[in-house]
Amino acid sequence: MSQITFSPPFVRPSQVSEQLRSAGYAVLAPADVAAWAGCDLQALMALNADWSGLPPDEFLKDGGRYRRRRHSCFVVTGEDVQQVPHRPHWQPVEYNALHGGMQRLFAPMQDATVAAPVWNQLLRALAGVSGEVFAHAAGAEPWYLEAHQFRIDTRDGIGRPTPEGAHRDGVDLVAVFLVGRHAVKGGETRVFEADGPSGVRFTLTEPWSLLLLDDARMIHETTPIQPVAEGGYRDTLVVTCRRGNFQGADVLGA
């Protein structure tokens, strides 16, 4: 039985900010991601090998073994990008009913990845569009970014990119990069208005395609993946941007 997929509603780099303001989301094709971030697409592709060595996620409450990940945090102010001391990831139960309220300390991103010039270019672009769309005061302000590298595999028959279901993250901007997918079906992205009837559904298939979300306005999820051959997986990079501080800073004391 063939699988029905919907093509992503790509926009041009020049349309990103206005699309976020008007629709609450924007989707970019890989070449346009590179143009928008001011980097080389091959430099982004060179990061892909890092996803092969991600350690297991030890905090899955559904008992699954399908997720591997790393996590690091950064503060971006204008052109300045600073990695902060390693800290747990924390969300309230209001945003993550499955894993909310837990201090989840994942392995940090590898030094070579963080040191790559293209990594800083990517973070500056995300902080920059956050400032354009969400900031109300003139001048540079710090943006607090959490970066999550995910590999969802199908070794046990099914993998769940969003085991918590359709959700918001409690930040300003959410960026979901499809880094790669191999020998899987499924993984459809679904984006819906939090307070309205509109929604879109599509499947990201091209490495380094990107979904940007206004987290206050939009709910998102990705459907489970299943293998079509041995060794199937789906790799993503999720980066969240938030004003004021990292989520849970008052709870974690950092």
Side-chain angles (χ1 to χ4, degrees), residues 5-245:
T5 60
F6 298 89
S7 299
F10 292 130
V11 300
R12 304 296 296 173
S14 61
Q15 300 172 305
V16 168
S17 294
E18 182 54 36
Q19 175 72 6
L20 276 169
R21 292 189 189 100
S22 62
Y25 68 92
V27 190
L28 285 169
D32 288 332
V33 170
W36 172 74
C39 65
D40 183 78
L41 181 57
Q42 291 306 310
L44 284 173
M45 297 286 287
L47 299 178
N48 290 23
D50 196 13
W51 270 255
S52 296
L54 299 181
D57 182 339
E58 304 289 355
F59 294 93
L60 281 171
K61 292 179 71 174
D62 65 0
R65 301 182 301 164
Y66 52 82
R67 186 158 75 181
R68 310 176 75 85
R69 71 191 293 178
R70 290 182 183 273
H71 166 253
S72 288
C73 296
F74 306 82
V75 176
V76 181
T77 308
E79 294 296 305
D80 183 59
V81 179
Q82 296 291 332
Q83 185 174 9
V84 303
H86 197 47
R87 64 193 305 279
H89 177 53
W90 187 89
Q91 293 175 291
V93 293
E94 290 83 359
Y95 291 112
N96 191 326
L98 185 61
H99 298 113
M102 299 173 62
Q103 295 190 30
R104 293 181 286 167
L105 186 63
F106 301 107
M109 295 179 63
Q110 296 193 58
D111 292 343
T113 304
V114 173
V118 71
W119 179 251
N120 284 352
Q121 290 174 294
L122 210 58
L123 296 191
R124 290 189 192 104
L126 293 170
V129 75
S130 297
E132 290 177 13
V133 176
F134 303 109
H136 302 293
E141 66 174 305
W143 286 91
Y144 296 83
L145 278 61
E146 294 196 49
H148 308 259
Q149 296 172 293
F150 292 103
R151 168 164 287 188
I152 307 299
D153 66 46
T154 56
R155 68 184 67 191
D156 291 332
I158 192 170
R160 296 178 174 84
T162 52
E164 63 272 43
H167 66 283
R168 291 165 50 215
D169 287 346
V171 297
D172 290 290
L173 181 78
V174 177
V176 182
F177 298 86
L178 178 77
V179 175
R181 52 184 287 156
H182 170 72
V184 296
K185 62 181 180 179
E188 180 182 84
T189 297
R190 298 177 178 178
V191 179
F192 306 96
E193 290 180 343
D195 298 312
S198 298
V200 292
R201 53 192 294 195
F202 54 88
T203 303
L204 295 175
T205 59
E206 300 179 68
W208 289 99
S209 48
L210 167 64
L211 166 66
L212 295 168
L213 290 165
D214 179 340
D215 186 62
R217 293 170 56 191
M218 310 305 291
I219 295 171
H220 66 280
E221 67 175 335
T222 303
T223 63
I225 57 172
Q226 295 176 283
V228 297
E230 187 175 354
Y233 62 82
R234 181 178 184 268
D235 291 347
T236 56
L237 168 67
V238 177
V239 183
T240 62
C241 303
R242 192 172 189 267
R243 284 170 291 182
N245 212 328

